[in-house]
Amino acid sequence: MQGVRYRRLVAALGGMLAALAGASPALAAAPQSLLHPAGPQAEELAKAITWDILAITVIFVPVALLALYILARFRRRPGDDELPPQVDGNPRWELGWTLALIVGLVIMVLHPLPAEAFFERLPKGEKTLTVEVIGHQWWWEIRYPDYGIVTANEMHIPAGTPVIVKTWSADVIHSFGVPRLGGKNDALPGRVLKFWLEADEPGVYQGQCYELCGASHARMLARVIAHKPEEFDAWVQARQNPVVAVPEGSLAAQGEQVFRGLCAACHTVDGTPAKGTIGPNLTAFGTRTSIGGGVLENTPENLAVWLADPPAVKPGSIMPNLGLSQDNIQALVAYLQALK
Ligand code: CUA
């Protein structure tokens, strides 16, 4: 009877391991998986994690097998009424495995490179790009100090260039990270932290806030859009010369009037009188891929949903429900989508 149970247990464990192995390619392909690196910084982190998992497996498997063997071999059998003889233990063995554990732990702790390798050390002598990322409840302000560009939630970078990311916060503690490109760093009020990330290839890489920061923490997403270097230069050019003019008498022109009256106190559009700094800078909004801190794709329909009642999309949103009429919403959508 016990033999049958033992075999069932082994079969169940084997099945679980097989299922994990089968699921791992899916895990590795997840958009925010550290095990699916897309840049040198993320590569280093993935190596360190893989090494730890291997080391843990090498220790765990023999210990678990030994425990299963002992459970089976020395289990209570019919007719075993007495306790087995009790012993004090074996000082030599106990000292041995205590020391082995300590040595194992020290190796595991020391093996990954020192922390500065992940956060500070850059490939020497390379051209870098500096980007400032400022956490707000619940969106990311993204600044390019060398180019005078301010945007939100979507960071454009050139592929193959290390990007120095400086993080801080305008309110509570946030944490900015893009797992496939590198580590992550807290965004603290009143203190600037630095780390770097890099994308090997052009593409879109998903990130998010990693520190519980209030009601819409889980809706504080970020996208890093990596371009070929010449396409990045074109993006910088375009952002430095944004399209703000809308045809006279158009729906977008009506929207511009509504925007000046209701939105400009909180939002900036470069090249216009709108200079508010409470909400995200909306220059070239029509080129963004997402809205509301990455919660919705940027389509006219979604933008209308957002404008009608922001806190319904994003609980706690500082942008209130302005009670806009459908006409005003459609005009604002036309205006915002025209900003390129
Ligand atoms: Cu910001 Cu969580």
Side-chain angles (χ1 to χ4, degrees):
M1 189 62 209
Q2 263 129 346
V4 174
R5 242 184 249 158
Y6 177 58
R7 272 193 295 265
R8 271 192 202 147
L9 179 67
V10 171
L13 281 175
M16 263 166 59
L17 284 176
L20 278 176
S24 63
L27 279 178
Q32 293 196 84
S33 173
L34 276 168
L35 300 175
H36 186 33
Q41 176 73 311
E43 196 92 39
E44 286 299 308
L45 286 168
K47 263 190 238 160
I49 294 167
T50 308
W51 198 90
D52 273 359
I53 291 172
L54 283 178
I56 290 164
T57 308
V58 163
I59 295 167
F60 174 78
V61 170
V63 170
L65 288 178
L66 202 60
L68 285 174
Y69 169 75
I70 290 166
L71 280 172
R73 173 75 180 77
F74 299 102
R75 70 189 184 279
R76 192 172 204 183
R77 293 184 168 81
D80 282 352
D81 292 329
E82 306 273 312
L83 284 172
Q86 302 295 297
V87 293
D88 277 343
N90 183 323
R92 235 187 267 175
W93 274 97
E94 282 167 20
L95 192 68
W97 63 59
T98 305
L99 285 177
L101 261 182
I102 291 172
V103 170
L105 281 174
V106 167
I107 292 174
M108 272 180 69
V109 168
L110 292 186
H111 174 267
L113 302 169
E116 67 263 28
F118 295 139
F119 299 113
E120 296 285 351
R121 197 182 70 185
L122 279 166
K124 288 267 181 290
E126 272 189 58
K127 188 173 169 270
T128 60
L129 170 73
T130 297
V131 181
E132 298 170 343
V133 175
I134 301 129
H136 294 256
Q137 285 174 317
W138 289 275
W139 56 282
W140 300 102
E141 181 177 349
I142 295 169
R143 296 185 190 163
Y144 296 77
D146 299 335
Y147 300 115
I149 294 171
V150 180
T151 182
N153 302 319
E154 295 178 6
M155 182 197 288
H156 292 255
I157 62 168
T161 301
V163 179
I164 299 173
V165 181
K166 294 183 176 175
T167 58
W168 70 91
S169 168
D171 39 50
V172 301
I173 300 174
H174 304 271
S175 177
F176 178 79
V178 186
R180 294 194 59 207
L181 301 185
K184 65 177 192 292
N185 231 352
D186 280 350
L188 306 172
R191 192 169 162 201
V192 179
L193 301 179
K194 257 194 325 187
F195 75 113
W196 69 280
L197 50 79
E198 181 175 338
D200 288 332
E201 300 288 337
V204 179
Y205 303 94
Q206 181 75 41
Q208 69 173 77
C209 182
Y210 282 86
E211 182 83 42
L212 183 62
C213 56
S216 277
H217 157 69
R219 296 177 180 83
M220 189 166 169
L221 306 172
R223 281 178 195 181
V224 173
I225 300 164
H227 302 272
K228 289 180 188 148
E230 61 275 16
E231 283 169 9
F232 175 74
D233 293 341
W235 177 81
V236 169
Q237 283 283 317
R239 277 305 319 269
Q240 286 173 332
N241 304 284
V243 174
V244 293
V246 288
E248 240 173 275
S250 64
L251 188 60
Q254 276 178 47
E256 186 176 23
Q257 290 312 310
V258 179
F259 191 88
R260 297 241 169 113
L262 291 174
C263 315
C266 291
H267 294 283
T268 292
V269 176
D270 295 346
T272 76
K275 297 269 182 267
T277 55
I278 292 170
N281 183 312
L282 297 178
T283 310
F285 182 85
T287 65
R288 302 249 178 102
T289 63
S290 63
I291 55 178
V295 179
L296 297 172
E297 294 300 307
N298 185 8
T299 66
E301 297 74 31
N302 284 342
L303 186 54
V305 168
W306 169 260
L307 290 169
D309 190 0
V313 177
K314 206 167 178 180
S317 159
I318 288 171
M319 177 164 167
N321 181 344
L322 294 166
L324 296 166
S325 67
Q326 269 309 316
D327 287 351
N328 279 351
I329 288 174
Q330 291 312 322
L332 277 173
V333 169
Y335 174 62
L336 289 167
Q337 298 291 353
L339 298 173
K340 301 274 177 167

Short mmCIF file of all heavy atoms in Angstrom, two decimals, residues 135-140 172-175 209-214 216-218 220, ligand 1:
data_model
loop_
_atom_site.label_atom_id
_atom_site.label_comp_id
_atom_site.label_asym_id
_atom_site.label_seq_id
_atom_site.Cartn_x
_atom_site.Cartn_y
_atom_site.Cartn_z
N GLY A 135 8.90 59.81 -11.71
CA GLY A 135 7.65 59.14 -11.38
C GLY A 135 6.61 60.12 -10.86
O GLY A 135 6.91 61.01 -10.06
N HIS A 136 5.40 59.99 -11.37
CA HIS A 136 4.24 60.75 -10.87
C HIS A 136 3.13 59.74 -10.61
O HIS A 136 3.06 58.71 -11.28
CB HIS A 136 3.73 61.74 -11.92
CG HIS A 136 4.67 62.86 -12.27
ND1 HIS A 136 4.51 64.14 -11.81
CD2 HIS A 136 5.77 62.88 -13.06
CE1 HIS A 136 5.47 64.91 -12.30
NE2 HIS A 136 6.26 64.17 -13.06
N GLN A 137 2.20 60.05 -9.71
CA GLN A 137 1.01 59.20 -9.58
C GLN A 137 0.10 59.46 -10.77
O GLN A 137 -0.48 60.55 -10.85
CB GLN A 137 0.29 59.48 -8.28
CG GLN A 137 1.02 58.87 -7.06
CD GLN A 137 0.38 59.27 -5.76
OE1 GLN A 137 0.01 60.42 -5.57
NE2 GLN A 137 0.27 58.34 -4.84
N TRP A 138 -0.12 58.63 -11.76
CA TRP A 138 0.50 57.37 -12.04
C TRP A 138 0.94 57.36 -13.47
O TRP A 138 0.30 56.78 -14.33
CB TRP A 138 -0.48 56.22 -11.74
CG TRP A 138 -0.69 56.06 -10.26
CD1 TRP A 138 0.12 55.35 -9.40
CD2 TRP A 138 -1.70 56.64 -9.44
NE1 TRP A 138 -0.35 55.46 -8.10
CE2 TRP A 138 -1.48 56.25 -8.11
CE3 TRP A 138 -2.78 57.48 -9.71
CZ2 TRP A 138 -2.29 56.65 -7.06
CZ3 TRP A 138 -3.58 57.87 -8.66
CH2 TRP A 138 -3.32 57.45 -7.35
N TRP A 139 2.02 58.07 -13.72
CA TRP A 139 2.58 58.13 -15.07
C TRP A 139 4.05 58.53 -14.96
O TRP A 139 4.51 58.93 -13.90
CB TRP A 139 1.81 59.15 -15.94
CG TRP A 139 1.74 60.54 -15.36
CD1 TRP A 139 0.91 60.96 -14.35
CD2 TRP A 139 2.55 61.67 -15.70
NE1 TRP A 139 1.15 62.28 -14.06
CE2 TRP A 139 2.14 62.74 -14.89
CE3 TRP A 139 3.57 61.88 -16.63
CZ2 TRP A 139 2.73 64.01 -14.96
CZ3 TRP A 139 4.15 63.14 -16.71
CH2 TRP A 139 3.73 64.19 -15.88
N TRP A 140 4.77 58.35 -16.07
CA TRP A 140 6.20 58.67 -16.08
C TRP A 140 6.47 59.90 -16.94
O TRP A 140 6.07 59.93 -18.10
CB TRP A 140 7.00 57.50 -16.66
CG TRP A 140 6.85 56.23 -15.90
CD1 TRP A 140 6.06 55.16 -16.25
CD2 TRP A 140 7.48 55.86 -14.68
NE1 TRP A 140 6.17 54.17 -15.31
CE2 TRP A 140 7.04 54.58 -14.34
CE3 TRP A 140 8.39 56.52 -13.85
CZ2 TRP A 140 7.47 53.92 -13.19
CZ3 TRP A 140 8.82 55.85 -12.69
CH2 TRP A 140 8.36 54.58 -12.38
N VAL A 172 5.37 60.27 -4.45
CA VAL A 172 5.71 59.15 -3.56
C VAL A 172 6.81 58.30 -4.21
O VAL A 172 7.30 58.63 -5.28
CB VAL A 172 4.46 58.28 -3.28
CG1 VAL A 172 3.39 59.11 -2.62
CG2 VAL A 172 3.94 57.65 -4.56
N ILE A 173 7.20 57.21 -3.54
CA ILE A 173 8.24 56.35 -4.09
C ILE A 173 7.67 55.47 -5.20
O ILE A 173 6.66 54.80 -5.02
CB ILE A 173 8.85 55.45 -2.99
CG1 ILE A 173 9.48 56.30 -1.89
CG2 ILE A 173 9.88 54.49 -3.57
CD1 ILE A 173 9.97 55.48 -0.69
N HIS A 174 8.31 55.53 -6.37
CA HIS A 174 7.99 54.63 -7.48
C HIS A 174 9.26 53.83 -7.79
O HIS A 174 10.31 54.05 -7.16
CB HIS A 174 7.58 55.42 -8.72
CG HIS A 174 6.43 56.37 -8.52
ND1 HIS A 174 5.12 56.00 -8.67
CD2 HIS A 174 6.40 57.68 -8.17
CE1 HIS A 174 4.34 57.05 -8.43
NE2 HIS A 174 5.09 58.08 -8.12
N SER A 175 9.18 52.95 -8.76
CA SER A 175 10.37 52.23 -9.18
C SER A 175 10.22 51.94 -10.67
O SER A 175 9.21 51.41 -11.11
CB SER A 175 10.51 50.93 -8.39
OG SER A 175 11.63 50.20 -8.85
N CYS A 209 5.89 50.36 -13.26
CA CYS A 209 6.29 50.76 -11.93
C CYS A 209 6.39 49.51 -11.06
O CYS A 209 5.52 48.65 -11.11
CB CYS A 209 5.28 51.73 -11.35
SG CYS A 209 5.74 52.32 -9.71
N TYR A 210 7.48 49.42 -10.27
CA TYR A 210 7.73 48.23 -9.46
C TYR A 210 7.60 48.49 -7.97
O TYR A 210 8.10 47.70 -7.18
CB TYR A 210 9.12 47.67 -9.77
CG TYR A 210 9.15 46.90 -11.06
CD1 TYR A 210 9.35 47.55 -12.27
CD2 TYR A 210 8.95 45.52 -11.07
CE1 TYR A 210 9.35 46.85 -13.46
CE2 TYR A 210 8.95 44.82 -12.25
CZ TYR A 210 9.15 45.49 -13.44
OH TYR A 210 9.15 44.79 -14.61
N GLU A 211 7.01 49.62 -7.60
CA GLU A 211 6.90 49.92 -6.16
C GLU A 211 5.47 50.36 -5.91
O GLU A 211 5.00 51.31 -6.56
CB GLU A 211 7.89 51.05 -5.81
CG GLU A 211 7.91 51.44 -4.36
CD GLU A 211 8.80 50.53 -3.54
OE1 GLU A 211 9.91 50.19 -4.02
OE2 GLU A 211 8.40 50.15 -2.44
N LEU A 212 4.82 49.68 -4.98
CA LEU A 212 3.41 50.01 -4.70
C LEU A 212 3.30 51.51 -4.37
O LEU A 212 3.93 51.99 -3.44
CB LEU A 212 2.90 49.18 -3.53
CG LEU A 212 1.42 49.40 -3.21
CD1 LEU A 212 0.53 49.00 -4.37
CD2 LEU A 212 1.03 48.64 -1.96
N CYS A 213 2.53 52.24 -5.19
CA CYS A 213 2.53 53.70 -5.06
C CYS A 213 1.12 54.27 -5.02
O CYS A 213 0.92 55.46 -5.25
CB CYS A 213 3.33 54.32 -6.20
SG CYS A 213 2.74 53.83 -7.83
N GLY A 214 0.14 53.43 -4.74
CA GLY A 214 -1.21 53.95 -4.61
C GLY A 214 -2.18 53.21 -5.52
O GLY A 214 -1.84 52.19 -6.13
N SER A 216 -3.49 53.32 -8.48
CA SER A 216 -3.30 52.87 -9.86
C SER A 216 -1.86 52.44 -10.13
O SER A 216 -1.38 52.52 -11.26
CB SER A 216 -3.75 53.95 -10.84
OG SER A 216 -5.15 53.86 -11.02
N HIS A 217 -1.18 51.95 -9.10
CA HIS A 217 0.19 51.43 -9.26
C HIS A 217 0.27 50.44 -10.41
O HIS A 217 1.18 50.50 -11.25
CB HIS A 217 0.62 50.78 -7.94
CG HIS A 217 1.71 49.78 -8.07
ND1 HIS A 217 2.99 50.13 -8.41
CD2 HIS A 217 1.71 48.43 -7.93
CE1 HIS A 217 3.74 49.03 -8.45
NE2 HIS A 217 2.99 47.99 -8.18
N ALA A 218 -0.70 49.52 -10.47
CA ALA A 218 -0.64 48.48 -11.50
C ALA A 218 -0.92 49.05 -12.89
O ALA A 218 -0.71 48.36 -13.89
CB ALA A 218 -1.63 47.36 -11.19
N MET A 220 0.52 51.82 -14.05
CA MET A 220 1.60 52.78 -14.31
C MET A 220 2.65 52.09 -15.19
O MET A 220 3.69 51.66 -14.74
CB MET A 220 2.20 53.21 -12.97
CG MET A 220 3.18 54.35 -13.06
SD MET A 220 3.49 55.03 -11.43
CE MET A 220 4.88 56.11 -11.84
CU1 CUA B 1 4.39 54.17 -9.30
CU2 CUA B 1 3.86 52.01 -8.45
#
